[in-house]
Amino acid sequence: MLIDQARIYIKAGDGGSGILSFRREKYVPKGGPDGGNGGKGGDVYFKVDPSLNTLLHFRYRQHFKAQAGRHGQGANKTGKSGEDLYIPVPPGTIVKEAESGKFLADLVEEGQSYLIARGGRGGRGNAAFATPTNRAPRHFEHGQPGEEIQVELELKLLADVGLVGLPNAGKSTLLARLSNARPKIADYPFTTLEPHLGIVSAAEYSAFVMADLPGLIEGASQGRGLGHRFLKHIERTRIILLMIDSIQPDPEGTVKALEKELEQFNPNLLERPRFIAMSKSDLTPSAEVTKFRFDYRFSAVTGQGLKELINGLWTALQDLST
Ligand code: GDP
Ligand code: MG
């Protein structure tokens, strides 16, 4: 299982300071205190964004700072609050405090957010300190600093390659043929049927994880049957391998139907790299019989085309992580 990691520094906005000010009006020699309070600093949140499936974007940016609150103004004007900052993370991101390794949050659901650093409170202006005995206070407060924290993010992907196809496309057979080890399912709270995972060795000392996602059925995106739950797993794979049985009478239509399911469930899934593979090549004499366009053609029974398939997937995975 590839684990993506990133370490980032986060600082919430400082609170604005309250100010020292007295009313100044014509013909009013001694105006009362009117120093406004400072605004609150912006908070920083993590927010699950299902269009992401890696932590790669943190390679280009590791510092995140929310806006500070503005200082108070005269005429009892409170400073504007700093804007909150939302840092997008892919579903399946675990947040830990970098130094202690303390677990902070497990961000799974679309739209889920987590407050990671609280903005500082604004300081009070001198108007806030007026009392019957001190009607012209000269006291005011500075804003509180925003919280800061260094965090370690970790993304556990379900698998590198997810197999998607109609029942009987040959997914289980392919996984059994390619994988020499059955890893334990990552410690995720799977509330659904478990996808089967296998480790596929690619180059020397290198391997990737392939998941056999139980059969996609038409209408899955509408939640028919168990399809909806299977589709949830696909969100945590890097590459999608659409498998079409060679003896399918309408491969084109089947691919379209599968893609439609994916799209209706989550349009971002179609932006993920995907390949089309024709399985059971031993059952059809040659690829020339069909005009259908595919990336790979293989037989999990005879082994034909498997090497090309593995190499192709491995190359694509490496391209994704550079
Ligand atoms: P799944 O539902 O997609 O997991 O499909 P299975 O792996 O269970 O395969 C469905 C049927 O197709 C089984 O009877 C397999 O033996 C058969 N099958 C799978 N791969 C091949 C293949 O490459 N060649 C042939 N001839 N049969 C295959
Ligand atoms: Mg199966």
Side-chain angles (χ1 to χ4, degrees):
M1 177 102 29
L2 291 170
I3 295 182
D4 239 356
Q5 280 175 325
R7 183 180 274 239
I8 60 175
Y9 167 81
I10 289 163
K11 169 116 174 42
D14 294 336
S17 292
I19 63 154
L20 174 66
S21 168
F22 291 96
R23 230 179 296 132
R24 270 174 219 284
E25 285 170 48
K26 263 187 192 169
Y27 315 120
V28 185
K30 273 189 163 182
D34 72 350
N37 302 334
K40 183 182 162 297
D43 297 329
V44 182
Y45 295 84
F46 283 116
K47 184 161 190 198
V48 175
D49 178 348
S51 71
L52 298 172
N53 67 333
T54 71
L55 298 174
L56 278 179
H57 54 295
F58 293 116
R59 278 204 198 159
Y60 308 105
R61 183 167 174 201
Q62 292 98 25
H63 285 73
F64 293 87
K65 256 183 161 167
Q67 211 178 31
R70 298 291 184 82
H71 298 319
Q73 292 177 28
N76 286 312
K77 269 210 206 137
T78 298
K80 214 169 157 235
S81 294
E83 263 187 59
D84 295 341
L85 178 67
Y86 287 85
I87 305 174
V89 293
T93 301
I94 290 170
V95 185
K96 291 176 181 166
E97 194 185 358
E99 206 158 301
S100 63
K102 188 177 157 233
F103 171 88
L104 296 177
D106 189 358
L107 298 166
V108 182
E109 296 296 333
E110 169 165 7
Q112 187 184 345
S113 64
Y114 176 78
L115 175 64
I116 184 73
R118 206 179 284 277
R121 206 167 50 81
R124 284 176 292 175
N126 68 328
F129 294 96
T131 62
T133 52
N134 182 3
R135 290 195 279 179
R138 303 193 65 82
H139 186 62
F140 65 95
E141 292 172 329
H142 290 290
Q144 305 267 316
E147 289 177 347
E148 55 189 311
I149 184 172
Q150 185 125 26
V151 297
E152 180 92 33
L153 300 177
E154 202 175 284
L155 174 67
K156 284 188 189 166
L157 292 158
L158 171 66
D160 301 305
V161 178
L163 303 179
V164 171
L166 296 177
N168 276 320
K171 302 179 294 296
S172 302
T173 310
L174 177 68
L175 187 74
R177 168 92 192 212
L178 292 187
S179 61
N180 42 24
R182 298 292 158 122
K184 269 202 291 196
I185 300 227
D187 50 349
Y188 260 102
F190 283 118
T191 52
T192 66
L193 277 182
E194 290 178 355
H196 295 124
L197 301 183
I199 296 177
V200 180
S201 34
E204 205 176 3
Y205 304 123
S206 317
F208 60 86
V209 177
M210 188 179 259
D212 168 18
L213 305 162
L216 193 63
I217 49 169
E218 223 168 311
S221 59
Q222 266 86 53
R224 192 190 298 167
L226 293 168
H228 197 79
R229 296 201 243 154
F230 300 150
L231 282 172
K232 268 221 93 58
H233 296 309
I234 299 172
E235 292 191 315
R236 289 219 212 108
T237 59
R238 285 173 193 255
I239 290 182
I240 294 170
L241 185 65
L242 291 179
M243 276 178 61
I244 313 296
D245 187 326
S246 293
I247 48 177
Q248 267 283 322
D250 178 19
E252 197 101 48
T254 307
V255 168
K256 284 219 176 88
L258 293 172
E259 285 174 344
K260 199 166 144 226
E261 291 306 317
L262 294 176
E263 184 184 18
Q264 284 177 351
F265 179 72
N266 175 358
N268 297 313
L269 285 174
L270 290 191
E271 276 148 44
R272 206 154 295 179
R274 71 177 180 285
F275 296 107
I276 297 171
M278 300 220 78
S279 59
K280 310 189 190 178
S281 62
D282 56 299
L283 296 183
T284 47
S286 107
E288 315 329 322
V289 296
T290 164
K291 285 203 188 66
F292 176 66
R293 294 248 306 277
F294 50 81
D295 301 296
Y296 300 100
R297 192 175 120 87
F298 67 88
S299 164
V301 169
T302 65
Q304 181 199 8
L306 290 182
K307 219 173 145 210
E308 291 79 359
L309 176 68
I310 292 175
N311 287 340
L313 293 172
W314 177 242
T315 306
L317 284 169
Q318 283 177 307
D319 288 348
L320 278 182
S321 50
T322 50

